[in-house]
Amino acid sequence: MKIGEVVEALIRLRDVFDLSRYEDEAVCAACNVLDRLPIMMDEEQAKSALNKAFSGTFDD
């Protein structure tokens, strides 16, 4: 799944469900973070970029 598709799915989630204020803020924050990544980056490239940015915080 491409990063752009994830952002689109989160936006649809916001539109379809009656989210609480905190859930809505979390979805918006996630979209803002994802929007900083290249739109066509695949999952493995994004994971690698996040690992570099956050010093391995997201290692499995």
Side-chain angles (χ1 to χ4, degrees):
M1 183 176 275
K2 303 286 186 222
I3 301 300
E5 293 170 339
V6 174
V7 172
E8 289 176 15
L10 288 170
I11 291 170
R12 279 194 305 273
L13 180 112
R14 260 185 101 206
D15 293 341
V16 172
F17 293 100
D18 184 27
L19 302 178
S20 71
R21 187 182 81 181
Y22 299 109
E23 292 167 333
D24 185 66
E25 288 174 1
V27 169
C28 288
C31 286
N32 290 336
V33 168
L34 292 170
D35 279 340
R36 293 180 182 194
L37 297 172
I39 200 80
M40 295 305 292
M41 183 181 284
D42 68 23
E43 180 182 349
E44 288 304 313
Q45 290 172 317
K47 187 175 182 179
S48 176
L50 287 172
N51 278 331
K52 286 179 187 176
F54 294 100
S55 303
T57 303
F58 297 102
D59 285 335
D60 289 323

